[in-house]
Amino acid sequence: MSNHHTYKKIEMVGSSKTSIEDAIHNALAECSKTVKNMDWFEVVETRGHIVDGAVGHFQVTLKIGFRIGDS
């Protein structure tokens, strides 16, 4: 194992009809199916869809950081 870590960040968008927090959980759950070594996330944008004057669904854009290989 090396004495340093190397990371990469990707951007994902999660959505939910329930809440912003649920949208975050949905994005992380889907991402974890294919991305290994996830270490952190940043919420960089929050938005939503309006239906009949109310929130139809929430969307959050996340940057997810993950460690490259065995670094």
Side-chain angles (χ1 to χ4, degrees):
M1 184 171 195
S2 69
N3 60 356
H4 71 279
H5 298 295
T6 303
Y7 297 91
K8 181 174 177 87
K9 287 197 291 187
I10 58 173
E11 193 169 89
M12 302 292 292
V13 178
S15 66
S16 169
K17 290 183 177 184
T18 308
S19 69
I20 291 168
E21 291 174 0
D22 197 41
I24 292 169
H25 288 285
N26 291 342
L28 292 174
E30 285 299 315
C31 192
S32 71
K33 292 177 182 177
T34 57
V35 177
K36 305 299 178 214
N37 302 320
M38 294 190 316
D39 281 344
W40 76 88
F41 71 92
E42 309 167 46
V43 176
V44 295
E45 187 174 34
T46 306
R47 64 183 168 275
H49 181 238
I50 301 169
V51 177
D52 297 326
V55 175
H57 69 274
F58 301 91
Q59 285 186 334
V60 292
T61 302
L62 304 175
K63 289 190 179 182
I64 299 172
F66 62 95
R67 192 175 63 256
I68 300 295
D70 293 328
S71 73

